[in-house]
Amino acid sequence: KARMPVGISAPRAGGPDELQRISGVGTKNEQILHSLGFYHFDQIAQWSDEQVEWVDGYLRFNGRIRRENWVEQCRLLAAGDEAEFARLYGTGGMVDASGTTQSGEKTRR
């Protein structure tokens, strides 16, 4: 059964992580995640399958969180494994210095 993951009331000291780095998260979804109490990569990295199902249903994503590997992306980002993140997801949801997004092995279309 899907169950809501427990968020926190405010970002920890140092402010929120840049959740838009997650491939598939833009400004609107970042704001929604913040409204649910999710500000940090390590929070999303810990979501169980049931919690992913709840958030996916709440956002009406039809399985998108699993397809886009949000939990795996956040595990890499929370661990600071930038090289592996870039290899698999490119620049994630962010534009690079040239103003474009770069694909990785798991985000190529």
Side-chain angles (χ1 to χ4, degrees):
K1 182 181 183 307
R3 61 186 175 92
M4 180 182 177
V6 177
I8 57 179
S9 60
R12 295 189 288 262
D17 291 335
E18 204 167 1
L19 299 183
Q20 290 184 51
R21 291 199 57 203
I22 303 165
S23 181
V25 174
T27 305
K28 181 178 179 187
N29 290 332
E30 183 178 51
Q31 290 171 347
I32 294 169
L33 289 168
H34 286 174
S35 76
L36 293 171
F38 301 104
Y39 301 94
H40 303 285
F41 299 129
D42 66 317
Q43 291 179 280
I44 297 168
Q46 295 174 26
W47 286 353
S48 68
D49 288 341
E50 294 81 15
Q51 292 168 326
V52 167
E53 184 180 327
W54 187 92
V55 176
D56 194 81
Y58 181 84
L59 297 174
R60 296 185 178 105
F61 273 1
N62 300 312
R64 184 173 152 197
I65 293 174
R66 270 199 187 84
R67 283 192 308 276
E68 294 176 347
N69 301 306
W70 285 17
V71 171
E72 180 183 350
Q73 289 184 61
C74 287
R75 285 182 182 147
L76 293 171
L77 291 166
D81 195 343
E82 296 290 335
E84 185 67 358
F85 181 82
R87 184 180 76 79
L88 294 172
Y89 303 102
T91 53
M94 304 301 288
V95 295
D96 64 14
S98 68
T100 60
T101 57
Q102 300 298 317
S103 293
E105 286 183 15
K106 293 193 174 195
T107 55
R108 287 202 181 101
R109 305 245 185 305

